Amino acid sequence: MTPPAPTIPRVARRPAPGLFAGVRRVGFLLSALLLVVSFTLAAPLAVGVVYGETQVIGAFATALFAGVAIGASGVFLLRTDMKSVSRREGFAVVALGWAMICLFGSVPYMLAGSLGPVDAWFESTSGFTTTGASVVSVPESLPHGILFWRSMSQWLGGMGFVVLYVALFPLLGVGAARLYRAEVPGLEAVRLRPRISSSAGVLWLMYLLISVVLLSLFVLGGMDLFAAACSMFAVLGTGGFAISGAGAQIGDSTYLLWVHIVFMWICATSFSLHWAVITGKPGKLWRNSEWRFFSGTLAISTLLVCALLWATSDTSFTRALNDAAFMVVSTGTSTGLPLVDYERWVPAAQLILLLLMFMGGCAGSTAGGMKVVRVQLFLKHTLHSGLHTLHPGAVTAPHLAGRPVSQQTMRSVFSFLGLFMIVFVAGTAAVSLITGMDILSSLSASIGMLSSNGAGLEDVGPFDNYAWIAAPGKLVLTFLMVVGRLELYTVLILFTPGFWR
Amino acid sequence: MQVIVVGTGTLGLNVARRLSEERNDVVMVGEDEAALRQAQDALDVGIVVGKGSAPSVLLEAGLAAADIIVAVTPNDETNIVACLIAETVRAQIVRVARIHDPAYLGEEGIIDKSALHIDLVISPEEEVADAVAALARVPGATDVLEFAGGKVLAVGAAVDARSPLIGKPLADLKRRTGEPLLIAGVYREETVSAPSRDIRVEEGDVLFLVSGRPAVRRALTGLGKRWARTRNVLIAGGGREGVAIARRLSAAGVHTKIIDRDAAVCDRISQLLDDTLVLHGDAMDERLLADEGGARADIVIAALGDENDNLFTALQARRLGARRVAALIDSPERMPFASTIGVDIVLSPLATSLSPILQLVRRGDIVAVRTLRESLVEGIEFVAREGAGIVGLPLALLHMPHGSLVGALVRDDEVIIPDGSTVVQVGDRVVLFARPVLIPRMQRLLAPG
């Protein structure tokens, strides 16, 4: 009996995977995003039909048809295995997807003849990034359909259309997590359910629920349905587009004023806390230190501004309180919805608003800015460092919500804040260089865009607009908007050579 | 289904991956934050950092609404406590725990799994010993899954250079066998493809065959394999798996040798294993392997602590001329590679441990679940009940998804290899094969309602 021949097979060299596979996946996902967003154009189209605006109907019908056609053919032609979306592709899809959707969103403005190409791009980007900075001085002059789309874009961008896409197409598997994380702001993306697609679904359902509640409250307060819907969109996305030159649609109603305030505050609160309240654990709200810090900051700022207003002008206390509360909350939640011209206030009160812009809302909300939790961790760390000068041997660990914060988290917070300031300073320099605005205007415009607030001081005050700025200036501002909305890294990483290697 | 997985080791990760891929809500619990973050990045699962035996941590992981808890930390006590807490909070939860210490499993007669309120005990080493025992009963096969108490076999048969079938169509094998035989798939270039008229047998292919034992024997002989009883098995590595395999094989009357490089380990296992020859030495040393009969062994099993050592040892044994060589490989990415470079049998304690868990999460009257080749194919044995989608229609009319098939039926103790006209009757044992992703979609076929 002879043993079988001892052979060991050779390992064949496998051809390297082509770059095309990744490009194809990115292309597929972008097409799918376009498809999803295209269908939302049906809403402004319907508004156009109701108001009988022929040109608007044509514009939206054309854009809808083109978007669906391009998206569907992309999805069909590029369909591929989506199980292995890499982290890099995830960033590329979200960053390019935002650029694409902002561009696509500008098409109806142009087709309806309302705005030129650069202005349309600016208005569309400002809407989707929930910045609320406008090139339109008299919004009333725009057709209803266009106004509606302008407002609705804030609502879509607030919760994020990538999140919507992930919720609608749960088949993406692990790739979904990569997309989701690149769009959802905060230290770590809100995860309400174990699966990303169900998390995204729950987020959008809550968002819809809050939308319906606010819409009904507005209608109950005497707004007509159109104004109520547009105002609701502006508040939910913490966007801040007003549909009239006079700012928020409030009139003399204290009720509407406070409904605005409360809902801006709600929308700048982390949606995981809303989930806790809805699932019967309201205690989590009080135990959440980020939320306490955020609400406390808004309350103290309101009282300070109110006191300043009351002391330095002849306004009544109630009026001062209402004005202060509205503008503090509108600014502190990065909504930037104008109501009163704060540029007539004493400088100290204006400064408080300017500082609030930096912080923005809570992580995991629709608000922009640095996010409360990062500021909070920064402060804690700084205080701990102070303790070390007093007790050199002290061993400390900053805690958040009863849990120690890891060194890695701390590092990421510091790098984020550092990068935020760098982008802010570079943005200020670029804005002032290109537009020729004065220092305060450039500075407030830069932070206004970066924190998706929209309104600044001086040349870019709450009742000014951005129409006068030349095209290059508008492009710089829109770049800051997208960078700010996607929390810096998702966009900036595309500009590092390492990303393309 | 809502699943809590306690433990972030390889088994925990595998369970979580598999269950989450089947669209269950999985939350992983563990103390190793870095491992959890990595898991979250790679799988679609929720994570909770904390001790798996802490009630508050389990509650945070959603215990109050969970359907299954799988406690697979390396620590028996943590797993037991996690299951006890789970039962206290939620009585109807299904509790699965990995237990190593036989004292907890009734060996000392003081306490057993029912006293610990555990529904299913997972023991990777016992699972792998079962797999080896099945392989020993089918000489020449690279994979063996047994169904219906061993009446139905699904085996992998590698085509080697001397096979008379090379270059011939698959139907030739059926003709040579002369008995009902199902060729379920062909494993080539790391994927399984459905059999078709166009496929010509090539060297290196692994054919998956399903039938009763006599037909499988004839098919393997037809492929040029010698059907010789497995007599000599050499095991490299005296760890948990090595010992479990040796114990199982020697009980079945196979001569087993076990080699370990640690004298103390040899000493300990020699007391555990009566019928096995325990040798002290390095199995990676070619001369020792040759001296100890590596060349004449029917199977050489590399069960050392390190996967790379296992690959190396198995290949060396193959070079010496061992009839079949096996390596313990758990990382899914290495399994296809191991087959490619010439390891005949890839044994994965983790993959085989998954099977009983999958059996729990499947609806219907499931008797057994077995997975083949890094879970490329799953075999399910179930009893056809009144109202299940599979009953009453010829198989050809059932519109089963592409990538799934009925492999065999057992009716009145008789194995039936079905064709398109076969009708499943109530009470039949059905052995069905499918790609795992398809199974959640096939529940309607398996269970009534």
Side-chain angles (χ1 to χ4, degrees), chain A residues 6-7 87 191 193 195-196, chain B residues 25 41 44-45 318-319:
Chain A
T7 51
R87 210 166 298 159
R191 213 163 170 134
R193 314 273 312 123
R195 299 177 63 79
I196 283 290
Chain B
D25 279 356
D41 195 48
D44 196 0
V45 297
R318 178 174 169 133
R319 206 168 81 96

Side-chain angles (χ1 to χ4, degrees), chain B residues 113-183:
Chain B
K113 69 170 190 174
S114 65
L116 294 171
H117 302 266
I118 297 170
D119 298 308
L120 172 68
V121 168
I122 300 188
S123 167
E125 49 273 14
E126 292 305 324
E127 297 290 337
V128 86
D130 285 345
V132 172
L135 279 158
R137 286 191 285 270
V138 185
T142 59
D143 309 77
V144 176
L145 309 184
E146 293 183 336
F147 297 97
K151 279 201 193 64
V152 175
L153 296 179
V155 305
V159 178
D160 53 39
R162 297 165 306 149
S163 172
L165 225 68
I166 289 179
K168 306 234 163 72
L170 291 170
D172 269 29
L173 179 60
K174 287 193 186 178
R175 206 170 313 124
R176 276 162 187 268
T177 306
E179 279 184 55
L181 174 78
L182 180 84
I183 302 179

